[in-house]
Amino acid sequence: MAEYPDFSLQDKTALVTGAARGLGRSIALALANAGADVALGLRNADDAADLAAEIEAMGRRSMRVAMDVRDIARIHSAVDAVVEAMGGIDILVNNAGLGPPERPVEDADEADFDLAFDTNVKGLFFTSQAVGRVMIRQGSGNIVNLSSQAGFVALPGEAIYCASKAAVSHLTRCLAVEWGRYGINVNAVAPTFIRTPGTEPALSDPAFRADVVERIAALHRIGEPVDVAGAVVFLASPAAALVTGTTLMVDGGWTAR
């Protein structure tokens, strides 16, 4: 056993879904900073040229690959392309996800439900399956899923999103138990409200922002993408070799209250 924990991702290859902006972008850069080559899963492979360039400027390899997690055929073609170009996949970060518009349960419709679950749960499941098959052949791997504090607390008007993220955390446990025998660790991170382009419209409302800061009961600040990226790097690293099946709360103490 090593005397000190190893946080390096040197010589590892990572695939990050939904990598174009926000958390995905920050996570991709953090993985590269830790030593990994990074494949960027994107709705449009022409996007994120600047992100790929930043990764390559660190001395890492990068590739952009078209990947719509709601399309199983495109998941498989993307994974095959990454394996062919980069030689394997050591780390998968299932970041792609979305939330439907806030509505009371009585007003929610099937389209909202299907969109959220097709992306957040079905897409994550089949991306994990495709990459998991690669990792099983390799005899090792790390999968980090993006859950949410919404999977652990009830947020009025967001029942569909909350349920989908709760499913992510439980699916994380299921995959960890099934795939541990192949040397694959599966964990999740569950962020609070993080300052990203997607949350900025809501956080620009002073009353909403004040309520969020109050509910982040211990630290009383809005999270930044790097807060989540750090947790992902830890879970993807050898330092977390004995950690699997867990969801790491990155919520500033919201759920502690």
Side-chain angles (χ1 to χ4, degrees):
M1 294 292 291
E3 185 175 359
Y4 301 108
D6 181 4
F7 295 93
S8 173
L9 301 179
Q10 193 70 38
D11 300 323
K12 301 295 185 182
T13 297
L15 169 61
V16 181
T17 68
R21 63 177 194 153
L23 289 180
R25 179 185 181 88
S26 183
I27 289 166
L29 289 170
L31 293 170
N33 181 69
D37 299 323
V38 185
L40 307 172
L42 306 163
R43 291 288 299 274
N44 183 340
D46 293 329
D47 291 342
D50 59 335
L51 175 57
E54 283 189 64
I55 291 169
E56 290 163 7
M58 297 181 193
R60 318 299 179 208
R61 293 185 298 161
S62 181
M63 69 177 292
R64 292 173 288 161
V65 60
M67 189 175 189
D68 183 348
V69 300
R70 292 174 293 177
D71 184 328
I72 294 175
R74 292 185 69 184
I75 291 172
H76 285 283
S77 63
V79 170
D80 290 345
V82 173
V83 171
E84 181 177 357
M86 306 189 85
I89 301 173
D90 303 295
I91 300 161
L92 168 65
V93 181
N94 279 308
N95 171 72
L98 52 78
E102 291 187 25
R103 303 180 204 263
V105 171
E106 63 271 22
D107 295 333
D109 59 30
E110 185 177 12
D112 286 345
F113 189 98
D114 289 346
L115 179 62
F117 272 78
D118 283 353
T119 306
N120 298 351
V121 183
K122 182 179 176 181
L124 182 148
F125 179 93
F126 283 104
T127 302
S128 298
Q129 181 191 68
V131 176
R133 288 168 175 164
V134 175
M135 292 177 172
I136 288 169
R137 293 197 299 269
Q138 295 172 170
S140 64
N142 268 286
I143 298 174
V144 183
N145 298 322
L146 266 291
S147 180
S148 169
Q149 72 175 20
F152 294 83
V153 298
L155 301 176
E158 299 187 51
I160 293 172
Y161 181 71
C162 290
S164 73
K165 289 301 186 177
V168 168
S169 289
H170 194 67
L171 181 57
T172 296
R173 289 189 283 268
C174 294
L175 295 178
V177 169
E178 287 207 29
W179 287 348
R181 58 182 168 163
Y182 300 115
I184 301 170
N185 291 44
V186 187
N187 292 290
V189 295
T192 186
F193 285 89
I194 304 295
R195 196 188 320 277
T196 68
T199 62
E200 197 56 46
L203 292 174
S204 65
D205 178 342
F208 180 85
R209 187 181 186 284
D211 182 62
V212 169
V213 169
E214 167 60 23
R215 289 175 182 273
I216 298 176
L219 299 181
H220 296 294
R221 70 171 175 87
I222 304 298
E224 300 293 339
V226 70
D227 294 317
V228 180
V232 172
V233 169
F234 163 65
L235 291 173
S237 77
L242 198 61
V243 181
T244 196
T246 194
T247 296
L248 176 58
M249 306 303 298
V250 187
D251 70 348
W254 183 309
T255 53
R257 186 175 68 174

